[in-house]
Amino acid sequence: MKTLSILILFSLIASITHAIELDFCVGDVSLPRGPAGYACKDPAKVTTDDFVYTGFRGEKPTTNIFKNHLTLAFSNAYPALNGLGLSLARLDFAVGGVIPVHSHRTSEVLILAQGSIIAGFIDTNNTAYYKKLEVGDVMIFPEAMLHFQINVGKTPALAFVALNSANPALQITSSSLFAGNLPSELAQQMTLLSSREVMRMKKMFATS
C-alpha cells in the first residue's frame, strides 16, 4: 500500500510538472504528428495569429449528399490547439440536412446556434437517446458513442461543437462501409443489404 501511494504521488507530481513546463505548444504541422501530437513550433516564430482561427467565418456550401458542411478546427487546421486536449467544429445543415451516424475517440458537446435539429446518440445496449433541440440548447455525446444530428426545421441550421481532444478523429459509418476499399461482398455480408443496394451506395459515395 505504501509503495502504491508513493507511485501515485510521483505520478501526480509528474503530471503537474508537465502541465506547467510550457505555456503552450503551437503545433508545427510541417513535421509528422506523433502519439502526443505535433512537435512545438519555435516560440520565437509564434504570433497572436497562431491563436486565432477564422475558418468558421462566412457562408458554407451544403450541397453534398448529406446536405451538410463540416468545418473542422482540429489541431492540423488550428495548431494552437496542439496539446490542449480540445478541438472545435462548425456544423451547417441545409433544410433536411443531416450529420450521419458517426463517432469520435472523444466526448462531444454541441450548442445549437440557429434552426431546429434532432440530435442523439446510441449506446452499446442499442438504446437511442435523442431530442429536438432549439436555439441555445446544449447536448452532450459521450465518448465513442455513435451519434447524429438532423435538421428538422424549415430553415437552415447551424451548430458548434467542442471535443476533448486536439485530434478527436471523425468516422462516419456509411462512408467507412461504402467510400473506401472494403470489398462489396464483405459490405453485403456485414450490412445484410442486397448486392444491388451495396453497389448503389458505393457508386453514390464514389461520386460524392
Side-chain angles (χ1 to χ4, degrees), residues 21-59:
E21 185 174 346
L22 297 171
D23 290 334
F24 50 79
C25 178
V26 175
D28 186 344
V29 296
S30 68
L31 299 175
R33 177 192 286 150
Y38 291 104
C40 300
K41 184 177 179 179
D42 181 352
K45 297 180 180 179
V46 172
T47 70
T48 302
D49 286 342
D50 286 307
F51 300 98
V52 177
Y53 180 72
T54 61
F56 290 162
R57 293 180 183 177
E59 297 295 321

PDB file of all heavy atoms in Angstrom, residues 21-59:
ATOM      1  N   GLU A  21       5.226  23.038 -17.541  1.00  0.00           N
ATOM      2  CA  GLU A  21       6.532  23.118 -18.188  1.00  0.00           C
ATOM      3  C   GLU A  21       6.535  24.126 -19.333  1.00  0.00           C
ATOM      4  O   GLU A  21       7.523  24.828 -19.558  1.00  0.00           O
ATOM      5  CB  GLU A  21       6.934  21.737 -18.704  1.00  0.00           C
ATOM      6  CG  GLU A  21       8.340  21.685 -19.279  1.00  0.00           C
ATOM      7  CD  GLU A  21       8.754  20.275 -19.631  1.00  0.00           C
ATOM      8  OE1 GLU A  21       8.092  19.313 -19.202  1.00  0.00           O
ATOM      9  OE2 GLU A  21       9.761  20.134 -20.347  1.00  0.00           O
ATOM     10  N   LEU A  22       5.418  24.204 -20.085  1.00  0.00           N
ATOM     11  CA  LEU A  22       5.301  25.127 -21.206  1.00  0.00           C
ATOM     12  C   LEU A  22       3.996  25.905 -21.096  1.00  0.00           C
ATOM     13  O   LEU A  22       2.989  25.370 -20.641  1.00  0.00           O
ATOM     14  CB  LEU A  22       5.308  24.358 -22.536  1.00  0.00           C
ATOM     15  CG  LEU A  22       6.563  23.564 -22.890  1.00  0.00           C
ATOM     16  CD1 LEU A  22       6.294  22.712 -24.113  1.00  0.00           C
ATOM     17  CD2 LEU A  22       7.742  24.491 -23.138  1.00  0.00           C
ATOM     18  N   ASP A  23       4.020  27.154 -21.529  1.00  0.00           N
ATOM     19  CA  ASP A  23       2.777  27.933 -21.567  1.00  0.00           C
ATOM     20  C   ASP A  23       1.850  27.420 -22.653  1.00  0.00           C
ATOM     21  O   ASP A  23       0.635  27.417 -22.498  1.00  0.00           O
ATOM     22  CB  ASP A  23       3.083  29.407 -21.830  1.00  0.00           C
ATOM     23  CG  ASP A  23       3.762  30.073 -20.647  1.00  0.00           C
ATOM     24  OD1 ASP A  23       3.563  29.604 -19.509  1.00  0.00           O
ATOM     25  OD2 ASP A  23       4.491  31.047 -20.862  1.00  0.00           O
ATOM     26  N   PHE A  24       2.434  26.999 -23.773  1.00  0.00           N
ATOM     27  CA  PHE A  24       1.669  26.493 -24.904  1.00  0.00           C
ATOM     28  C   PHE A  24       2.615  25.744 -25.823  1.00  0.00           C
ATOM     29  O   PHE A  24       3.837  25.816 -25.672  1.00  0.00           O
ATOM     30  CB  PHE A  24       0.977  27.639 -25.661  1.00  0.00           C
ATOM     31  CG  PHE A  24       1.892  28.783 -26.014  1.00  0.00           C
ATOM     32  CD1 PHE A  24       2.758  28.700 -27.100  1.00  0.00           C
ATOM     33  CD2 PHE A  24       1.895  29.943 -25.250  1.00  0.00           C
ATOM     34  CE1 PHE A  24       3.605  29.749 -27.419  1.00  0.00           C
ATOM     35  CE2 PHE A  24       2.747  30.997 -25.562  1.00  0.00           C
ATOM     36  CZ  PHE A  24       3.601  30.902 -26.645  1.00  0.00           C
ATOM     37  N   CYS A  25       2.024  25.019 -26.758  1.00  0.00           N
ATOM     38  CA  CYS A  25       2.814  24.265 -27.737  1.00  0.00           C
ATOM     39  C   CYS A  25       2.079  24.325 -29.064  1.00  0.00           C
ATOM     40  O   CYS A  25       1.415  23.365 -29.470  1.00  0.00           O
ATOM     41  CB  CYS A  25       3.017  22.824 -27.284  1.00  0.00           C
ATOM     42  SG  CYS A  25       3.939  21.798 -28.465  1.00  0.00           S
ATOM     43  N   VAL A  26       2.170  25.464 -29.738  1.00  0.00           N
ATOM     44  CA  VAL A  26       1.569  25.587 -31.061  1.00  0.00           C
ATOM     45  C   VAL A  26       2.207  24.539 -31.966  1.00  0.00           C
ATOM     46  O   VAL A  26       3.427  24.451 -32.062  1.00  0.00           O
ATOM     47  CB  VAL A  26       1.772  27.002 -31.635  1.00  0.00           C
ATOM     48  CG1 VAL A  26       1.249  27.076 -33.065  1.00  0.00           C
ATOM     49  CG2 VAL A  26       1.080  28.034 -30.756  1.00  0.00           C
ATOM     50  N   GLY A  27       1.388  23.723 -32.598  1.00  0.00           N
ATOM     51  CA  GLY A  27       1.911  22.611 -33.382  1.00  0.00           C
ATOM     52  C   GLY A  27       2.645  23.054 -34.640  1.00  0.00           C
ATOM     53  O   GLY A  27       2.211  23.971 -35.331  1.00  0.00           O
ATOM     54  N   ASP A  28       3.734  22.395 -34.917  1.00  0.00           N
ATOM     55  CA  ASP A  28       4.454  22.595 -36.176  1.00  0.00           C
ATOM     56  C   ASP A  28       3.938  21.547 -37.150  1.00  0.00           C
ATOM     57  O   ASP A  28       4.402  20.406 -37.164  1.00  0.00           O
ATOM     58  CB  ASP A  28       5.960  22.452 -35.961  1.00  0.00           C
ATOM     59  CG  ASP A  28       6.765  22.792 -37.211  1.00  0.00           C
ATOM     60  OD1 ASP A  28       6.167  22.838 -38.319  1.00  0.00           O
ATOM     61  OD2 ASP A  28       7.987  23.011 -37.100  1.00  0.00           O
ATOM     62  N   VAL A  29       2.958  21.930 -37.976  1.00  0.00           N
ATOM     63  CA  VAL A  29       2.285  20.965 -38.844  1.00  0.00           C
ATOM     64  C   VAL A  29       3.142  20.558 -40.038  1.00  0.00           C
ATOM     65  O   VAL A  29       2.738  19.699 -40.818  1.00  0.00           O
ATOM     66  CB  VAL A  29       0.923  21.504 -39.328  1.00  0.00           C
ATOM     67  CG1 VAL A  29      -0.016  21.696 -38.152  1.00  0.00           C
ATOM     68  CG2 VAL A  29       1.095  22.807 -40.101  1.00  0.00           C
ATOM     69  N   SER A  30       4.311  21.162 -40.173  1.00  0.00           N
ATOM     70  CA  SER A  30       5.224  20.747 -41.241  1.00  0.00           C
ATOM     71  C   SER A  30       5.964  19.467 -40.859  1.00  0.00           C
ATOM     72  O   SER A  30       6.597  18.835 -41.707  1.00  0.00           O
ATOM     73  CB  SER A  30       6.241  21.855 -41.548  1.00  0.00           C
ATOM     74  OG  SER A  30       7.147  22.040 -40.466  1.00  0.00           O
ATOM     75  N   LEU A  31       5.870  19.086 -39.595  1.00  0.00           N
ATOM     76  CA  LEU A  31       6.518  17.869 -39.099  1.00  0.00           C
ATOM     77  C   LEU A  31       5.470  16.789 -38.860  1.00  0.00           C
ATOM     78  O   LEU A  31       4.289  17.096 -38.659  1.00  0.00           O
ATOM     79  CB  LEU A  31       7.272  18.164 -37.801  1.00  0.00           C
ATOM     80  CG  LEU A  31       8.388  19.204 -37.898  1.00  0.00           C
ATOM     81  CD1 LEU A  31       8.972  19.484 -36.510  1.00  0.00           C
ATOM     82  CD2 LEU A  31       9.495  18.727 -38.849  1.00  0.00           C
ATOM     83  N   PRO A  32       5.876  15.515 -38.863  1.00  0.00           N
ATOM     84  CA  PRO A  32       4.899  14.447 -38.634  1.00  0.00           C
ATOM     85  C   PRO A  32       4.278  14.547 -37.247  1.00  0.00           C
ATOM     86  O   PRO A  32       4.917  14.981 -36.290  1.00  0.00           O
ATOM     87  CB  PRO A  32       5.747  13.170 -38.758  1.00  0.00           C
ATOM     88  CG  PRO A  32       6.960  13.578 -39.526  1.00  0.00           C
ATOM     89  CD  PRO A  32       7.218  15.006 -39.159  1.00  0.00           C
ATOM     90  N   ARG A  33       3.015  14.159 -37.154  1.00  0.00           N
ATOM     91  CA  ARG A  33       2.334  14.124 -35.863  1.00  0.00           C
ATOM     92  C   ARG A  33       2.658  12.820 -35.162  1.00  0.00           C
ATOM     93  O   ARG A  33       2.607  11.743 -35.751  1.00  0.00           O
ATOM     94  CB  ARG A  33       0.830  14.240 -36.073  1.00  0.00           C
ATOM     95  CG  ARG A  33       0.024  14.141 -34.780  1.00  0.00           C
ATOM     96  CD  ARG A  33      -1.453  13.961 -35.068  1.00  0.00           C
ATOM     97  NE  ARG A  33      -2.067  15.175 -35.535  1.00  0.00           N
ATOM     98  CZ  ARG A  33      -3.103  15.199 -36.372  1.00  0.00           C
ATOM     99  NH1 ARG A  33      -3.581  14.074 -36.853  1.00  0.00           N
ATOM    100  NH2 ARG A  33      -3.631  16.340 -36.742  1.00  0.00           N
ATOM    101  N   GLY A  34       2.993  12.901 -33.887  1.00  0.00           N
ATOM    102  CA  GLY A  34       3.264  11.717 -33.090  1.00  0.00           C
ATOM    103  C   GLY A  34       2.086  11.384 -32.196  1.00  0.00           C
ATOM    104  O   GLY A  34       1.060  12.075 -32.214  1.00  0.00           O
ATOM    105  N   PRO A  35       2.215  10.348 -31.353  1.00  0.00           N
ATOM    106  CA  PRO A  35       1.125   9.951 -30.457  1.00  0.00           C
ATOM    107  C   PRO A  35       0.691  11.061 -29.505  1.00  0.00           C
ATOM    108  O   PRO A  35      -0.464  11.094 -29.069  1.00  0.00           O
ATOM    109  CB  PRO A  35       1.712   8.763 -29.684  1.00  0.00           C
ATOM    110  CG  PRO A  35       2.789   8.226 -30.576  1.00  0.00           C
ATOM    111  CD  PRO A  35       3.360   9.416 -31.282  1.00  0.00           C
ATOM    112  N   ALA A  36       1.602  11.954 -29.167  1.00  0.00           N
ATOM    113  CA  ALA A  36       1.267  13.051 -28.256  1.00  0.00           C
ATOM    114  C   ALA A  36       0.935  14.336 -28.996  1.00  0.00           C
ATOM    115  O   ALA A  36       0.794  15.392 -28.384  1.00  0.00           O
ATOM    116  CB  ALA A  36       2.428  13.287 -27.296  1.00  0.00           C
ATOM    117  N   GLY A  37       0.825  14.278 -30.324  1.00  0.00           N
ATOM    118  CA  GLY A  37       0.520  15.463 -31.105  1.00  0.00           C
ATOM    119  C   GLY A  37       1.723  15.916 -31.921  1.00  0.00           C
ATOM    120  O   GLY A  37       2.660  15.160 -32.167  1.00  0.00           O
ATOM    121  N   TYR A  38       1.687  17.166 -32.330  1.00  0.00           N
ATOM    122  CA  TYR A  38       2.777  17.734 -33.112  1.00  0.00           C
ATOM    123  C   TYR A  38       3.890  18.231 -32.205  1.00  0.00           C
ATOM    124  O   TYR A  38       3.660  18.589 -31.042  1.00  0.00           O
ATOM    125  CB  TYR A  38       2.274  18.921 -33.945  1.00  0.00           C
ATOM    126  CG  TYR A  38       1.343  18.563 -35.077  1.00  0.00           C
ATOM    127  CD1 TYR A  38      -0.029  18.799 -34.966  1.00  0.00           C
ATOM    128  CD2 TYR A  38       1.818  17.992 -36.252  1.00  0.00           C
ATOM    129  CE1 TYR A  38      -0.890  18.488 -36.000  1.00  0.00           C
ATOM    130  CE2 TYR A  38       0.963  17.679 -37.289  1.00  0.00           C
ATOM    131  CZ  TYR A  38      -0.389  17.919 -37.164  1.00  0.00           C
ATOM    132  OH  TYR A  38      -1.251  17.609 -38.194  1.00  0.00           O
ATOM    133  N   ALA A  39       5.098  18.298 -32.763  1.00  0.00           N
ATOM    134  CA  ALA A  39       6.187  18.988 -32.075  1.00  0.00           C
ATOM    135  C   ALA A  39       5.855  20.475 -32.013  1.00  0.00           C
ATOM    136  O   ALA A  39       5.088  20.991 -32.824  1.00  0.00           O
ATOM    137  CB  ALA A  39       7.499  18.772 -32.837  1.00  0.00           C
ATOM    138  N   CYS A  40       6.425  21.158 -31.035  1.00  0.00           N
ATOM    139  CA  CYS A  40       6.120  22.571 -30.837  1.00  0.00           C
ATOM    140  C   CYS A  40       6.799  23.439 -31.891  1.00  0.00           C
ATOM    141  O   CYS A  40       7.962  23.225 -32.247  1.00  0.00           O
ATOM    142  CB  CYS A  40       6.589  23.033 -29.467  1.00  0.00           C
ATOM    143  SG  CYS A  40       5.832  22.152 -28.093  1.00  0.00           S
ATOM    144  N   LYS A  41       6.075  24.411 -32.356  1.00  0.00           N
ATOM    145  CA  LYS A  41       6.641  25.433 -33.233  1.00  0.00           C
ATOM    146  C   LYS A  41       7.649  26.256 -32.444  1.00  0.00           C
ATOM    147  O   LYS A  41       7.491  26.471 -31.240  1.00  0.00           O
ATOM    148  CB  LYS A  41       5.495  26.324 -33.739  1.00  0.00           C
ATOM    149  CG  LYS A  41       5.885  27.395 -34.739  1.00  0.00           C
ATOM    150  CD  LYS A  41       4.630  28.151 -35.195  1.00  0.00           C
ATOM    151  CE  LYS A  41       4.978  29.249 -36.177  1.00  0.00           C
ATOM    152  NZ  LYS A  41       3.746  29.979 -36.631  1.00  0.00           N
ATOM    153  N   ASP A  42       8.697  26.715 -33.111  1.00  0.00           N
ATOM    154  CA  ASP A  42       9.692  27.565 -32.472  1.00  0.00           C
ATOM    155  C   ASP A  42       8.986  28.755 -31.823  1.00  0.00           C
ATOM    156  O   ASP A  42       8.330  29.547 -32.520  1.00  0.00           O
ATOM    157  CB  ASP A  42      10.689  28.051 -33.523  1.00  0.00           C
ATOM    158  CG  ASP A  42      11.790  28.924 -32.939  1.00  0.00           C
ATOM    159  OD1 ASP A  42      11.708  29.293 -31.751  1.00  0.00           O
ATOM    160  OD2 ASP A  42      12.730  29.252 -33.688  1.00  0.00           O
ATOM    161  N   PRO A  43       9.069  28.909 -30.479  1.00  0.00           N
ATOM    162  CA  PRO A  43       8.362  30.015 -29.809  1.00  0.00           C
ATOM    163  C   PRO A  43       8.701  31.390 -30.377  1.00  0.00           C
ATOM    164  O   PRO A  43       7.858  32.299 -30.336  1.00  0.00           O
ATOM    165  CB  PRO A  43       8.824  29.886 -28.356  1.00  0.00           C
ATOM    166  CG  PRO A  43       9.204  28.455 -28.203  1.00  0.00           C
ATOM    167  CD  PRO A  43       9.778  28.050 -29.533  1.00  0.00           C
ATOM    168  N   ALA A  44       9.896  31.543 -30.917  1.00  0.00           N
ATOM    169  CA  ALA A  44      10.287  32.837 -31.479  1.00  0.00           C
ATOM    170  C   ALA A  44       9.481  33.168 -32.734  1.00  0.00           C
ATOM    171  O   ALA A  44       9.433  34.333 -33.152  1.00  0.00           O
ATOM    172  CB  ALA A  44      11.785  32.844 -31.791  1.00  0.00           C
ATOM    173  N   LYS A  45       8.857  32.146 -33.332  1.00  0.00           N
ATOM    174  CA  LYS A  45       8.083  32.352 -34.550  1.00  0.00           C
ATOM    175  C   LYS A  45       6.576  32.363 -34.286  1.00  0.00           C
ATOM    176  O   LYS A  45       5.787  32.502 -35.217  1.00  0.00           O
ATOM    177  CB  LYS A  45       8.423  31.268 -35.572  1.00  0.00           C
ATOM    178  CG  LYS A  45       9.881  31.293 -36.023  1.00  0.00           C
ATOM    179  CD  LYS A  45      10.160  30.191 -37.038  1.00  0.00           C
ATOM    180  CE  LYS A  45      11.622  30.226 -37.494  1.00  0.00           C
ATOM    181  NZ  LYS A  45      11.920  29.139 -38.465  1.00  0.00           N
ATOM    182  N   VAL A  46       6.164  32.206 -33.041  1.00  0.00           N
ATOM    183  CA  VAL A  46       4.752  32.214 -32.694  1.00  0.00           C
ATOM    184  C   VAL A  46       4.241  33.654 -32.621  1.00  0.00           C
ATOM    185  O   VAL A  46       4.903  34.535 -32.071  1.00  0.00           O
ATOM    186  CB  VAL A  46       4.526  31.515 -31.335  1.00  0.00           C
ATOM    187  CG1 VAL A  46       3.083  31.687 -30.869  1.00  0.00           C
ATOM    188  CG2 VAL A  46       4.858  30.037 -31.439  1.00  0.00           C
ATOM    189  N   THR A  47       3.071  33.900 -33.221  1.00  0.00           N
ATOM    190  CA  THR A  47       2.449  35.223 -33.184  1.00  0.00           C
ATOM    191  C   THR A  47       1.015  35.100 -32.671  1.00  0.00           C
ATOM    192  O   THR A  47       0.480  33.991 -32.529  1.00  0.00           O
ATOM    193  CB  THR A  47       2.419  35.867 -34.582  1.00  0.00           C
ATOM    194  OG1 THR A  47       1.478  35.162 -35.409  1.00  0.00           O
ATOM    195  CG2 THR A  47       3.800  35.831 -35.235  1.00  0.00           C
ATOM    196  N   THR A  48       0.387  36.219 -32.437  1.00  0.00           N
ATOM    197  CA  THR A  48      -1.011  36.221 -31.999  1.00  0.00           C
ATOM    198  C   THR A  48      -1.904  35.486 -32.985  1.00  0.00           C
ATOM    199  O   THR A  48      -2.858  34.796 -32.588  1.00  0.00           O
ATOM    200  CB  THR A  48      -1.509  37.671 -31.836  1.00  0.00           C
ATOM    201  OG1 THR A  48      -0.680  38.341 -30.888  1.00  0.00           O
ATOM    202  CG2 THR A  48      -2.955  37.696 -31.359  1.00  0.00           C
ATOM    203  N   ASP A  49      -1.601  35.600 -34.273  1.00  0.00           N
ATOM    204  CA  ASP A  49      -2.422  34.949 -35.296  1.00  0.00           C
ATOM    205  C   ASP A  49      -2.474  33.438 -35.115  1.00  0.00           C
ATOM    206  O   ASP A  49      -3.445  32.798 -35.544  1.00  0.00           O
ATOM    207  CB  ASP A  49      -1.895  35.283 -36.692  1.00  0.00           C
ATOM    208  CG  ASP A  49      -2.226  36.713 -37.102  1.00  0.00           C
ATOM    209  OD1 ASP A  49      -3.122  37.310 -36.479  1.00  0.00           O
ATOM    210  OD2 ASP A  49      -1.579  37.214 -38.041  1.00  0.00           O
ATOM    211  N   ASP A  50      -1.458  32.858 -34.499  1.00  0.00           N
ATOM    212  CA  ASP A  50      -1.467  31.414 -34.268  1.00  0.00           C
ATOM    213  C   ASP A  50      -2.613  30.998 -33.344  1.00  0.00           C
ATOM    214  O   ASP A  50      -3.062  29.853 -33.391  1.00  0.00           O
ATOM    215  CB  ASP A  50      -0.134  30.954 -33.665  1.00  0.00           C
ATOM    216  CG  ASP A  50       0.989  30.931 -34.685  1.00  0.00           C
ATOM    217  OD1 ASP A  50       0.813  30.312 -35.747  1.00  0.00           O
ATOM    218  OD2 ASP A  50       2.046  31.547 -34.429  1.00  0.00           O
ATOM    219  N   PHE A  51      -3.070  31.916 -32.511  1.00  0.00           N
ATOM    220  CA  PHE A  51      -4.098  31.587 -31.527  1.00  0.00           C
ATOM    221  C   PHE A  51      -5.503  31.959 -31.996  1.00  0.00           C
ATOM    222  O   PHE A  51      -6.472  31.792 -31.252  1.00  0.00           O
ATOM    223  CB  PHE A  51      -3.784  32.288 -30.201  1.00  0.00           C
ATOM    224  CG  PHE A  51      -2.458  31.875 -29.627  1.00  0.00           C
ATOM    225  CD1 PHE A  51      -1.324  32.663 -29.815  1.00  0.00           C
ATOM    226  CD2 PHE A  51      -2.327  30.687 -28.929  1.00  0.00           C
ATOM    227  CE1 PHE A  51      -0.101  32.275 -29.307  1.00  0.00           C
ATOM    228  CE2 PHE A  51      -1.097  30.288 -28.416  1.00  0.00           C
ATOM    229  CZ  PHE A  51       0.022  31.084 -28.609  1.00  0.00           C
ATOM    230  N   VAL A  52      -5.612  32.464 -33.217  1.00  0.00           N
ATOM    231  CA  VAL A  52      -6.901  32.881 -33.760  1.00  0.00           C
ATOM    232  C   VAL A  52      -7.261  31.983 -34.941  1.00  0.00           C
ATOM    233  O   VAL A  52      -6.436  31.752 -35.830  1.00  0.00           O
ATOM    234  CB  VAL A  52      -6.855  34.356 -34.221  1.00  0.00           C
ATOM    235  CG1 VAL A  52      -8.186  34.745 -34.860  1.00  0.00           C
ATOM    236  CG2 VAL A  52      -6.535  35.273 -33.047  1.00  0.00           C
ATOM    237  N   TYR A  53      -8.484  31.474 -34.945  1.00  0.00           N
ATOM    238  CA  TYR A  53      -8.975  30.625 -36.041  1.00  0.00           C
ATOM    239  C   TYR A  53     -10.112  31.347 -36.746  1.00  0.00           C
ATOM    240  O   TYR A  53     -11.082  31.765 -36.100  1.00  0.00           O
ATOM    241  CB  TYR A  53      -9.466  29.283 -35.499  1.00  0.00           C
ATOM    242  CG  TYR A  53      -9.980  28.340 -36.564  1.00  0.00           C
ATOM    243  CD1 TYR A  53      -9.099  27.729 -37.449  1.00  0.00           C
ATOM    244  CD2 TYR A  53     -11.340  28.076 -36.685  1.00  0.00           C
ATOM    245  CE1 TYR A  53      -9.563  26.858 -38.428  1.00  0.00           C
ATOM    246  CE2 TYR A  53     -11.805  27.208 -37.657  1.00  0.00           C
ATOM    247  CZ  TYR A  53     -10.916  26.605 -38.520  1.00  0.00           C
ATOM    248  OH  TYR A  53     -11.380  25.749 -39.491  1.00  0.00           O
ATOM    249  N   THR A  54     -10.003  31.518 -38.050  1.00  0.00           N
ATOM    250  CA  THR A  54     -11.008  32.274 -38.813  1.00  0.00           C
ATOM    251  C   THR A  54     -11.824  31.382 -39.746  1.00  0.00           C
ATOM    252  O   THR A  54     -12.627  31.874 -40.526  1.00  0.00           O
ATOM    253  CB  THR A  54     -10.326  33.380 -39.641  1.00  0.00           C
ATOM    254  OG1 THR A  54      -9.401  32.767 -40.566  1.00  0.00           O
ATOM    255  CG2 THR A  54      -9.573  34.351 -38.750  1.00  0.00           C
ATOM    256  N   GLY A  55     -11.640  30.079 -39.637  1.00  0.00           N
ATOM    257  CA  GLY A  55     -12.299  29.163 -40.565  1.00  0.00           C
ATOM    258  C   GLY A  55     -13.801  29.053 -40.414  1.00  0.00           C
ATOM    259  O   GLY A  55     -14.469  28.489 -41.288  1.00  0.00           O
ATOM    260  N   PHE A  56     -14.353  29.556 -39.307  1.00  0.00           N
ATOM    261  CA  PHE A  56     -15.806  29.494 -39.115  1.00  0.00           C
ATOM    262  C   PHE A  56     -16.531  30.670 -39.754  1.00  0.00           C
ATOM    263  O   PHE A  56     -17.761  30.735 -39.721  1.00  0.00           O
ATOM    264  CB  PHE A  56     -16.144  29.465 -37.616  1.00  0.00           C
ATOM    265  CG  PHE A  56     -15.775  28.182 -36.922  1.00  0.00           C
ATOM    266  CD1 PHE A  56     -15.667  28.141 -35.545  1.00  0.00           C
ATOM    267  CD2 PHE A  56     -15.544  27.010 -37.633  1.00  0.00           C
ATOM    268  CE1 PHE A  56     -15.345  26.966 -34.885  1.00  0.00           C
ATOM    269  CE2 PHE A  56     -15.209  25.831 -36.995  1.00  0.00           C
ATOM    270  CZ  PHE A  56     -15.110  25.810 -35.607  1.00  0.00           C
ATOM    271  N   ARG A  57     -15.804  31.601 -40.334  1.00  0.00           N
ATOM    272  CA  ARG A  57     -16.446  32.777 -40.933  1.00  0.00           C
ATOM    273  C   ARG A  57     -17.225  32.428 -42.197  1.00  0.00           C
ATOM    274  O   ARG A  57     -16.883  31.492 -42.914  1.00  0.00           O
ATOM    275  CB  ARG A  57     -15.390  33.819 -41.297  1.00  0.00           C
ATOM    276  CG  ARG A  57     -14.669  34.460 -40.139  1.00  0.00           C
ATOM    277  CD  ARG A  57     -13.650  35.469 -40.666  1.00  0.00           C
ATOM    278  NE  ARG A  57     -12.862  36.093 -39.614  1.00  0.00           N
ATOM    279  CZ  ARG A  57     -11.888  36.956 -39.838  1.00  0.00           C
ATOM    280  NH1 ARG A  57     -11.563  37.287 -41.079  1.00  0.00           N
ATOM    281  NH2 ARG A  57     -11.225  37.484 -38.819  1.00  0.00           N
ATOM    282  N   GLY A  58     -18.237  33.243 -42.486  1.00  0.00           N
ATOM    283  CA  GLY A  58     -18.903  33.194 -43.788  1.00  0.00           C
ATOM    284  C   GLY A  58     -19.885  32.066 -43.970  1.00  0.00           C
ATOM    285  O   GLY A  58     -20.071  31.190 -43.126  1.00  0.00           O
ATOM    286  N   GLU A  59     -20.527  32.082 -45.134  1.00  0.00           N
ATOM    287  CA  GLU A  59     -21.476  31.039 -45.503  1.00  0.00           C
ATOM    288  C   GLU A  59     -20.725  29.786 -45.942  1.00  0.00           C
ATOM    289  O   GLU A  59     -19.636  29.861 -46.516  1.00  0.00           O
ATOM    290  CB  GLU A  59     -22.374  31.523 -46.643  1.00  0.00           C
ATOM    291  CG  GLU A  59     -23.244  32.716 -46.282  1.00  0.00           C
ATOM    292  CD  GLU A  59     -24.267  32.380 -45.210  1.00  0.00           C
ATOM    293  OE1 GLU A  59     -24.822  31.260 -45.265  1.00  0.00           O
ATOM    294  OE2 GLU A  59     -24.487  33.222 -44.321  1.00  0.00           O
TER     295      GLU A  59
END
